[in-house]
Amino acid sequence: MAPSRLFCLALTAVSLAACAAGSSALGAQGRRARSARCAKADSVHYSYRSNRSTRGLPNCLAHPRPVYRHHFRGCVDTSLMPSQENLALVRAATLCLVNRERAAHHQSPLRANARLEHAAQQHTESMAFDDYFEHVGPSGQTPLARMRAVGYIYSSRIGYEVGENIAWGTLWDATPRSIVAAWMASPGHRANILDPRYRDTAIGVSAHPPAALAHGQPGAIYTQDFGVIVSG
């Protein structure tokens, strides 16, 4: 009998827009299973707005971005099984696939950001080696806190919107192609990938899925962070 495949997704999007006053918090949860793929998916979405004044800052929601029609057809290494030796190739393949989806929906490509990569890789390795699958770390570190810690959100006087997708998979469900396809099939994850406001991104990958979830099968765990900074 072939080994069963395990696969799981989760999402948190945290945003604080400098071009909107007032505060709000919205939350929604959903769960669905795909028995044909022995898969399960969970998603959580949160949104926050700032209370700070927006005087003198550009309206980051009012001006549409240019339409991009490049289709990133040449994505390579999309079927790689992550290993310690090929993580850079896996990151590049995942970003290419994400940008191909954005191009197909007339959104501009996301650019890789070194500070976000540090946050994403750090969280990925924390989940892998501390054996959990959540956006909040064992000491209470949220995606927002991690992005502040690495200097992506470098001042309390700037506006920003940030988001995060995480995923783990085993066997062929751990490849970039499978992970991005699963994210695109989930409304919350898809919304992060296609959000027209995001400019920056980074992908963290570990070839060690959480042991309690992978049940001894080879696989990988991913974090994709998203962001845009609105300067005064």
Side-chain angles (χ1 to χ4, degrees), residues 116 119 143-153 162-164 225-226:
L116 286 182
L144 188 58
R146 292 190 291 271
M147 293 180 205
R148 287 188 187 278
V150 299
Y152 179 73
I153 301 172
V162 296
E164 181 174 273
D225 285 336
F226 305 85

Side-chain angles (χ1 to χ4, degrees), residues 3-216:
S4 63
R5 293 179 290 166
L6 297 175
F7 159 97
C8 192
L9 303 174
L11 166 136
T12 298
V14 183
S15 66
L16 187 114
C19 48
S23 62
S24 65
L26 304 173
Q29 300 188 65
R31 178 176 298 240
R32 65 185 189 178
R34 297 179 180 180
S35 59
R37 296 192 62 186
C38 301
K40 61 181 179 178
D42 299 285
S43 66
V44 183
H45 177 86
Y46 298 100
S47 176
Y48 301 95
R49 290 190 183 277
S50 68
N51 289 314
R52 63 182 291 272
S53 170
T54 63
R55 184 174 302 170
L57 293 181
N59 188 333
C60 59
L61 300 180
H63 304 292
R65 301 173 68 186
V67 171
Y68 289 76
R69 301 186 184 278
H70 306 293
H71 290 283
F72 295 85
R73 297 185 187 280
C75 295
V76 297
D77 301 321
T78 61
S79 297
L80 276 181
M81 179 70 176
S83 69
Q84 193 60 40
E85 291 73 33
N86 66 12
L87 296 184
L89 297 177
V90 170
R91 288 189 194 97
T94 305
L95 178 56
C96 184
L97 290 169
V98 164
N99 277 334
R100 186 167 70 181
E101 294 292 349
R102 287 178 65 87
H105 292 82
H106 311 299
Q107 302 299 335
S108 63
L110 298 172
R111 61 197 177 205
N113 181 279
R115 293 180 189 271
L116 286 182
E117 183 174 321
H118 183 57
Q121 189 63 31
Q122 185 179 57
H123 184 55
T124 300
E125 292 177 4
S126 174
M127 290 190 292
F129 295 107
D130 291 336
D131 198 15
Y132 70 97
F133 183 62
E134 301 288 346
H135 291 281
V136 179
S139 300
Q141 311 97 321
T142 64
L144 188 58
R146 292 190 291 271
M147 293 180 205
R148 287 188 187 278
V150 299
Y152 179 73
I153 301 172
Y154 55 85
S155 170
S156 61
R157 300 180 63 83
I158 62 169
Y160 54 85
E161 183 172 343
V162 296
E164 181 174 273
N165 287 355
I166 60 175
W168 68 271
T170 60
L171 305 176
W172 45 90
D173 279 333
T175 66
R177 182 185 300 274
S178 291
I179 293 296
V180 174
W183 276 339
M184 288 299 294
S186 170
H189 303 81
R190 178 187 176 94
N192 264 355
I193 288 173
L194 300 181
D195 191 315
R197 293 177 290 269
Y198 289 141
R199 306 309 201 257
D200 306 318
T201 195
I203 295 148
V205 187
S206 172
H208 301 277
L213 301 174
H215 300 289

